[in-house]
Amino acid sequence: MDAQGRGRADDIDPADQWVLNPDTGEYELRLGTSAPQSGVPPPPRPRPSEEAPSARGRTDARGRSRPETSGRSRPETPGRAVPPPRRRRGAPEEPLPGRRGRRPAKASKGKKVLLWTGGTMAFVLVAGAGAAYFYIEHLNDNIASVSDDGASTGGFSKDKAINILLIGTDKRTGKGNGSYGDAGSVGHADTTILLHVSKDRSNATALSIPRDLITDVPDCPTTQEDGTQKVIPGTRQVRFNTSLGQDGRTPSCTMRTVTELTGVKPDNFMVADFNAVKTLTSAVGGVEVCVGKDLDDPDSHLKLSKGTHTIEGEQALAFVRTRHAVGFGGDLSRIGLQQQFLSALMRKLKSNDTLTSPSKMLDLAEAGTKALTVDSQLDSIGKLKDLGMELGKLNTENLTFTTTPVIDNPTEKVKATVVLNESTAPQVFAMIKNDVSFTAVKERKKKEAAAVAARLKGSKAPASEVRVRILNGGAVAGSAQETLSWLQNEEGVTKSENAGNAPAPLAKTTLEYAPDQAEQARRLAGIMGLPGSAMKPGESVTNDQGLPAMTLTLGKDFEGAGVPLTAPSKAPEGVQKSTADKVECAK
């Protein structure tokens, strides 16, 4: 225990301070106003003029959770246990805080809020922030935020797929970090992971983007310290890691670069430096890793013998920083090592050893929020908790780690950078963009996928018999007329018409048809390159001639007449991937 407000370890067991909130059915950590509190400052005592709040808790003007208790607080006598709060008349009796039989270990894992997210430096910071479920308001003050400069979608949504950009920088900050990173670095995008979580939360993909990937960095409107806007000019054919730090670029510029590169627009970003790995691994008591050979890297200061080791702090940072000791000694080899480390850390975070330890949860909350910089759409414990609740629905066996497919830069004699593998990278990006899992998920999803695919199977009507009305539901202006001309002049779908704009925009292109129009629908889907998920059995409409017709609505995903919308169903051959539930040894 440290000397700053923690007290002696044997004063109060944090586990004895859990009580059941009868209104929510959840366990909450109730800390006395004068008892030692594991480094967490006590909540402010209400002023006499304030009404005693309920055990549910309230939110302040910033939307942050605020700890509250029932009744008035009594002065505490040294050496005595904290008395239970008064019970309102008619309210169910709460168990005494000192009863160990009421620890939260009995609660289901699904209700725990120690959750995860991605990035070697930033991947698990939501896990720490999730401890705000215990209503520790001061954690809000730990969180630093910067503007997203309009580069995001505006923030994640509970009813949609989630895309979080996680960035670890090589900036030397904090005690003991002088030997790591580039001297004088402004903080480049040293480690970047695009974490995609499916709409139904059944699976996720963590896509690593190599720092040495040659790509274009677009113009970046950036908010300055005085609040003014400045457009930082883009650059062509430079290393991806220069999308942050270089020329004053902020994380929003890295976000724009990822959107240009992958076609996926992130909802939020999170950034951390080297300290995150050190503090988070120490908070959980170390992470178990496996190495298939002796490792000795004087550059990262890593020295491990063959076998299994529990690492934390400086040693954990050395593990994720090493590259000369593994694989071919390059950045791609290090990415694989980092993914193995993150899988191990996630398993530790979701283990009973962590979930049932209040002290570890509080330490994680402190470590995570202090190491975290987020975008302006994700700047409070409440928002991080909501994100953590969504991410926590996922089983680690359905989280796939993969790396952007690349090849050595053909323009270099001495291979130092990489470029996109144009034969496989677009397929990987399309799978993420279209919410396609890299792993086989549940029998139910397989059956659903089979039913959707079956809509494309069967006989097809001749193109001349296809009768369809075309609506623009979010595509580029003029798309409906362009598609009409293409269908009539090049594909022989002469019984088609432009019906103008749809009543409401759609994210995905859809084709609605009546049961007796299935053959027409299959023909048009084949011509348009529509996936089975775009086909919506429903009702027909009446066209300008008073005849029944199908309805084709061009959504925001529509990229032009003749451009197929069919998403790949599996990862291309040869693409590296691993799942977070499996233990792998670094070699």
Side-chain angles (χ1 to χ4, degrees):
M1 310 293 282
D2 62 38
Q4 299 182 3
R6 289 195 173 219
R8 292 189 353 226
D10 58 352
D11 284 341
I12 291 182
D13 184 347
D16 288 338
Q17 301 175 64
W18 287 89
V19 295
L20 178 69
N21 185 333
D23 295 321
T24 64
E26 302 288 352
Y27 286 90
E28 297 174 2
L29 187 63
R30 177 161 293 141
L31 303 178
T33 56
S34 62
Q37 299 178 10
S38 299
V40 180
R45 179 175 296 185
R47 294 190 296 271
S49 62
E50 292 180 336
E51 180 182 351
S54 69
R56 282 178 181 268
R58 297 181 179 175
T59 55
D60 61 17
R62 291 178 58 188
R64 303 181 299 188
S65 297
R66 186 180 291 274
E68 300 181 347
T69 56
S70 297
R72 297 170 181 259
S73 300
R74 298 187 203 168
E76 186 181 3
T77 303
R80 293 180 56 188
V82 180
R86 287 182 181 174
R87 180 166 55 95
R88 292 175 301 185
R89 184 173 298 175
E93 183 176 359
E94 293 182 357
L96 293 175
R99 291 184 182 172
R100 293 178 178 266
R102 287 292 189 180
R103 291 186 183 182
K106 300 293 185 181
S108 66
K109 284 187 180 181
K111 294 183 179 180
K112 296 297 182 180
V113 197
L114 180 61
L115 306 167
W116 56 265
T117 177
T120 295
M121 309 296 182
F123 197 89
V124 292
L125 293 178
V126 163
Y133 189 66
F134 307 146
Y135 309 122
I136 304 172
E137 180 191 4
H138 84 283
L139 292 178
N140 279 294
D141 297 328
N142 290 347
I143 302 173
S145 67
V146 294
S147 176
D148 68 350
D149 296 313
S152 75
T153 62
F156 77 94
S157 298
K158 294 183 179 180
D159 59 346
K160 297 180 180 178
I162 297 175
N163 294 293
I164 306 294
L165 187 64
L166 304 133
I167 308 168
T169 74
D170 59 358
K171 191 172 184 177
R172 294 182 179 183
T173 60
K175 183 179 179 181
N177 289 332
S179 59
Y180 296 110
D182 298 327
S185 174
V186 292
H188 296 113
D190 191 54
T191 298
T192 304
I193 293 180
L194 177 62
L195 176 66
H196 171 83
V197 184
S198 68
K199 181 179 179 180
D200 65 2
R201 309 298 185 251
S202 67
N203 65 90
T205 302
L207 177 70
S208 293
I209 302 175
R211 67 174 191 176
D212 295 327
L213 173 65
I214 298 299
T215 189
D216 294 338
V217 177
D219 292 345
C220 300
T222 305
T223 301
Q224 305 299 297
E225 290 185 2
D226 60 2
T228 60
Q229 283 271 327
K230 174 184 177 182
V231 177
I232 300 175
T235 52
R236 293 180 56 80
Q237 296 300 289
V238 293
R239 293 179 191 243
F240 174 86
N241 69 343
T242 61
S243 64
L244 177 64
Q246 200 80 14
D247 302 321
R249 295 182 178 120
T250 64
S252 67
C253 191
T254 304
M255 184 177 275
R256 293 183 194 277
T257 305
V258 169
T259 302
E260 291 287 324
L261 177 68
T262 66
V264 179
K265 191 171 188 177
D267 301 306
N268 299 97
F269 64 71
M270 298 195 300
V271 186
D273 60 23
F274 295 138
N275 285 314
V277 171
K278 295 195 293 186
T279 57
L280 287 170
T281 53
S282 295
V284 296
V287 173
E288 187 176 276
V289 297
C290 177
V291 293
K293 64 178 182 180
D294 293 343
L295 301 182
D296 188 356
D297 184 357
D299 290 335
S300 69
H301 313 294
L302 176 69
K303 190 169 185 177
L304 289 176
S305 60
K306 179 180 179 180
T308 301
H309 301 267
T310 299
I311 59 175
E312 64 177 279
E314 291 286 349
Q315 193 175 34
L317 179 57
F319 186 84
V320 299
R321 287 290 300 164
T322 189
R323 55 176 173 168
H324 300 301
V326 294
F328 295 102
D331 189 51
L332 295 179
S333 297
R334 182 173 65 175
I335 286 175
L337 189 74
Q338 292 169 347
Q339 293 173 347
Q340 294 171 29
F341 172 82
L342 291 171
S343 296
L345 182 51
M346 285 174 53
R347 291 192 297 271
K348 182 63 177 284
L349 285 169
K350 294 176 78 72
S351 69
N352 282 331
D353 181 50
T354 302
L355 290 174
T356 59
S357 172
S359 60
K360 284 185 180 180
M361 299 280 273
L362 294 175
D363 286 346
L364 275 169
E366 290 288 343
T369 52
K370 285 180 179 178
L372 179 66
T373 297
V374 298
D375 67 86
S376 48
Q377 309 292 337
L378 198 64
D379 61 354
S380 73
I381 285 296
K383 294 176 183 178
L384 286 170
K385 183 206 74 174
D386 289 343
L387 175 59
M389 291 290 285
E390 294 303 306
L391 300 178
K393 297 174 183 178
L394 179 72
N395 191 312
T396 53
E397 69 182 8
N398 293 326
L399 167 63
T400 302
F401 287 96
T402 189
T403 303
T404 302
V406 295
I407 59 174
D408 287 333
N409 190 342
T411 65
E412 295 176 337
K413 292 183 178 180
V414 178
K415 304 304 180 184
T417 62
V418 293
V419 296
L420 281 184
N421 184 334
E422 296 294 348
S423 66
T424 53
Q427 187 172 341
V428 170
F429 298 154
M431 290 180 69
I432 295 175
K433 185 177 180 180
N434 290 280
D435 204 17
V436 178
S437 175
F438 278 65
T439 58
V441 183
K442 299 179 183 179
E443 192 62 30
R444 175 183 61 81
K445 282 190 67 68
K446 291 182 180 179
K447 291 180 179 178
E448 291 175 355
V452 168
R455 297 172 189 169
L456 295 170
K457 298 178 180 179
S459 57
K460 301 176 182 178
S464 59
E465 294 181 9
V466 173
R467 190 177 288 111
V468 61
R469 298 172 75 245
I470 305 169
L471 296 172
N472 190 329
V476 175
S479 293
Q481 184 58 44
E482 176 193 2
T483 302
L484 175 66
S485 299
W486 175 72
L487 287 174
Q488 290 184 340
N489 298 328
E490 298 187 32
E491 300 298 331
V493 185
T494 55
K495 297 177 181 178
S496 51
E497 61 186 52
N498 182 352
N501 291 327
L506 296 178
K508 302 285 187 179
T509 296
T510 63
L511 174 61
E512 184 175 0
Y513 58 96
D516 61 353
Q517 296 172 318
E519 293 186 359
Q520 294 183 47
R522 286 192 284 268
R523 173 61 67 187
L524 186 59
I527 293 172
M528 295 285 299
L530 299 179
S533 58
M535 301 176 67
K536 305 297 181 184
E539 299 178 354
S540 64
V541 294
T542 302
N543 66 6
D544 290 345
Q545 287 75 43
L547 299 173
M550 300 182 294
T551 301
L552 174 65
T553 305
L554 307 178
K556 295 179 180 179
D557 62 336
F558 184 74
E559 298 181 356
V563 179
L565 292 175
T566 304
S569 59
K570 62 180 182 179
E573 294 294 330
V575 170
Q576 168 269 332
K577 59 180 181 178
S578 62
T579 53
D581 62 317
K582 296 178 181 177
V583 178
E584 296 189 22
C585 295
K587 297 180 180 180

